[in-house]
Amino acid sequence: MDKSLPNRAIEWRDQQLILLDQRLLPGAVEFLPINDVAGTFDAIKNMVVRGAPAIGVTAAYGVVLSALAHQQLGEEQAKQQIELDISKLNKARPTAVNLAWALQRMQQCLHNQNNDWLSALEKEAVAIHEQDIAANKAMGELGAGYIGEQSAVMTHCNAGALATGGYGTALGVIRSAFAQGKLAKVFANETRPWFQGSRLTAWELEQEKIPVSLICDSAAASALREHHVDWIIVGADRVAANGDVANKIGTYSLAVLAKHMGKKFMVVAPTSTIDLSSAHGDDIEIEQRGRQEVTHVGEKVMATEGTSVWNPVFDVTPAELVDVLITEQGAVENPSTSKIARLFVK
Ligand code: MRU
């Protein structure tokens, strides 16, 4: 890759946000410069950047772009404008709680700072980004401890470097297990309708020479039966206080399959993905996206114009189907409200 190109999917360079355009992968590696809040909002909404932690990191940089745009105003007026931009950014996508979490951190930083709030916000956004990468590496090590020698695992959607500040949550565990020589094989589900599995996860794993077989979502049960897969490992968009997990549509069916077939089910998510204000999964808003994601593959039409479509892009897996939740603060086996609460006790 050209050395002048960013080496991360999200890069903050010379007070500009540069995003790898994930809509074009794996066909093209192109970076999109983002210079304002409207551009940040559109990039999140239209999936230039996606994945819960990556959305949070991007939004944090969006707040810095807002501060840059309003730095000439008096402090009070500038802060009001930045507040408005924070509320706009908060509406970009509803399910990934890392968005609200990162914006709340930026808002607190804005209010705690009287002088030099621009550089304080910039430092805070960079810290959110760097801390996410560190959390992923810690989770990678912790999660890999659960993986036995010569294991095969299955993953769904993309919970990799592309979906986070870097390294990945579920793919972080897979990367660490592979580095420890334990991992023989990864099955990546294609993940309809947006194909995060085929377009992003298989691409990321191939870059690192981690053996991967891409399968249709509907081949998951057969792959689990025929290939002795040990663990299903996924990320999360929001974990409720009781351990229910909202993640990419199709995750719930995999958890049910895992229970039926005696496979282990691991969720890997930093504490920034845990939402204590959602008591359980029913409190989590599930994003619905447009019909065209289902009726078309790229430009190709796969259904009649009159076909009605239901396209929820996340589902909720009940906590009782989760064997272990890996966070940067520790592993929670058979998650429950009290065990999750303990993660937040200082
Ligand atoms: O619609 P997306 O691509 O943003 O959905 C992403 C997922 O569902 C991921 O599994 C989740 O955000 C975890 S990413 C570390």
Side-chain angles (χ1 to χ4, degrees), residues 220-226 229 256-264:
S222 298
L224 291 176
R225 195 177 54 200
E226 287 179 30
V229 172
V256 173
L257 272 181
K259 186 60 94 195
H260 179 69
M261 299 172 101
K263 309 290 182 184
K264 295 284 185 190

Side-chain angles (χ1 to χ4, degrees), residues 47 50-53 55 93 156-160 163-164 169 194 196 235-237 247-248 313-314:
M47 317 252 298
R50 29 64 52 205
I55 291 171
R93 288 189 76 188
H156 191 65
C157 194
N158 171 265
T164 60
T169 56
W194 210 78
Q196 286 92 337
D237 279 78
N247 190 48
K248 182 51 56 191
V313 298
F314 300 101

Side-chain angles (χ1 to χ4, degrees), residues 17 231 311:
L17 175 60
W231 282 91
N311 184 23

Side-chain angles (χ1 to χ4, degrees), residues 47 156-158 188-199 214-218 247-251 290-298 300-303 309-315:
M47 317 252 298
H156 191 65
C157 194
N158 171 265
N189 300 345
E190 64 177 350
T191 317
R192 282 281 291 149
W194 210 78
F195 294 101
Q196 286 92 337
S198 51
R199 302 201 298 108
L214 176 64
I215 62 168
C216 295
D217 297 334
S218 44
N247 190 48
K248 182 51 56 191
I249 190 79
T251 302
R291 70 187 292 282
Q292 186 150 342
E293 286 187 357
V294 182
T295 58
H296 290 57
V297 173
K300 190 147 172 62
V301 183
M302 296 293 179
V309 168
W310 183 59
N311 184 23
V313 298
F314 300 101
D315 59 24

Side-chain angles (χ1 to χ4, degrees), residues 51-180:
I55 291 171
V57 170
T58 302
Y61 287 128
V63 177
V64 187
L65 292 173
S66 169
L68 283 165
H70 298 113
Q71 63 182 317
Q72 309 300 355
L73 300 176
E75 183 180 328
E76 207 184 308
Q77 241 191 322
K79 285 188 174 179
Q80 274 171 9
Q81 291 304 316
I82 298 168
E83 284 282 358
L84 287 174
D85 283 341
I86 288 176
S87 348
K88 272 187 218 152
L89 287 167
N90 223 341
K91 297 190 180 82
R93 288 189 76 188
T95 306
V97 75
N98 300 65
L99 175 63
W101 173 88
L103 290 172
Q104 199 179 4
R105 251 182 87 164
M106 295 302 283
Q107 195 172 29
Q108 262 162 17
C109 172
L110 180 67
H111 288 296
N112 294 342
Q113 201 70 30
N114 289 326
N115 306 311
D116 213 4
W117 40 269
L118 176 55
S119 81
L121 287 174
E122 189 170 4
K123 276 196 199 120
E124 187 70 353
V126 171
I128 288 173
H129 193 171
E130 297 305 328
Q131 286 163 14
D132 186 61
I133 299 171
N136 289 338
K137 292 194 171 152
M139 292 189 290
E141 286 303 303
L142 194 54
Y146 283 84
I147 310 291
E149 298 296 328
Q150 282 301 303
S151 284
V153 303
M154 178 179 286
T155 189
H156 191 65
C157 194
N158 171 265
L162 294 167
T164 60
Y167 200 70
T169 56
L171 283 199
V173 170
I174 288 172
R175 279 193 163 90
S176 297
F178 182 72
Q180 292 171 14

